[in-house]
Amino acid sequence: MPTWPGACAGLFMKRRLTRAIPLLLLASLWLGLAARRGNFGHLARPRLEPLVSLEVLDGDTYRLPGGDLVRLLSVDTPERGAPWFEGDQEPWASQASDFARARIARTARLELLTLDERDAHGRLLAHVLVDGEPLAALLAEAGLAAPTLTRFGDGGFPEQARDVARRARATAFEPPWRWRRRHRREHE
């Protein structure tokens, strides 16, 4: 026959367990839903999709054949003129776009690597692979894009982000994120 303190300890443990189990189940459900929605990129599975074509809008923004916009991960390219900016980062913006167009045009294998996450503007965040190489790394190696690993993280693709950072050359232009902050027009 258990003693009174021993019986209380057993009852106490049983109550703690009955409270903990529902909390653990709820936490597991929440994590599963968050991963499925893309809020935890490291838990989501990468998707590698072959592409037939890709329209270059600027050095780091592209349009898929279905109309979806893609934002290239791991780099930031110079800004073209736009109504919301005073000025532009020419000639580097055009050089980055031209470089991307030329590299995509002569590739034998064009692919999209993504976790199906989107940025604040609704663009699909992805790496564009040209013949197996990240286009972001080629742009950075040519000095036409600034790496963003230290500013925005690896986007769920640490290997590609490290490759971009390793291959990056110094740029002749101000980092685009700094330029945008200094040249953004006030909304009227």
Side-chain angles (χ1 to χ4, degrees):
M1 177 171 207
T3 63
W4 185 81
C8 285
L11 184 60
F12 177 73
M13 286 301 288
K14 188 175 180 180
R15 283 185 181 163
R16 280 183 88 178
L17 264 168
T18 56
R19 288 182 184 161
I21 289 173
L23 287 175
L24 287 172
L25 289 172
L26 185 62
S28 297
L29 177 66
W30 180 80
L31 283 172
L33 288 172
R36 186 168 183 204
R37 291 184 61 208
N39 294 341
F40 291 93
H42 61 281
L43 297 178
R45 282 209 156 128
R47 176 173 57 94
L48 184 63
E49 175 184 326
L51 296 174
V52 175
S53 66
L54 189 65
E55 179 187 356
V56 177
L57 301 179
D58 69 22
D60 56 23
T61 307
Y62 308 92
R63 187 184 330 267
L64 294 171
D68 242 356
L69 295 181
V70 173
R71 173 61 168 83
L72 198 60
L73 286 168
S74 299
V75 292
D76 201 359
T77 60
E79 292 296 336
R80 292 175 168 250
W84 49 91
F85 293 128
E86 293 177 8
D88 57 44
Q89 286 188 287
E90 291 295 356
W92 304 287
S94 291
Q95 290 173 8
S97 298
D98 293 345
F99 179 92
R101 270 188 209 93
R103 194 59 187 88
I104 288 169
R106 72 174 194 262
T107 189
R109 191 175 82 231
L110 185 62
E111 298 168 302
L112 188 75
L113 179 62
T114 184
L115 292 172
D116 291 315
E117 293 181 354
R118 296 190 178 268
D119 70 3
H121 305 287
R123 298 174 297 186
L124 181 67
L125 299 171
H127 277 284
V128 173
L129 304 179
V130 289
D131 295 326
E133 285 191 274
L135 182 56
L138 298 171
L139 282 160
E141 190 172 52
L144 296 172
T148 60
L149 177 62
T150 57
R151 184 158 177 86
F152 299 112
D154 63 23
F157 295 100
E159 184 180 323
Q160 287 79 6
R162 280 193 303 271
D163 187 29
V164 169
R166 181 182 55 77
R167 293 168 65 176
R169 284 191 15 221
T171 60
F173 50 86
E174 179 180 15
W177 57 87
R178 189 176 302 141
W179 185 90
R180 281 191 298 272
R181 192 174 345 129
R182 290 187 327 98
H183 292 85
R184 187 161 307 274
R185 286 194 173 140
E186 295 298 321
H187 294 291
E188 298 173 10

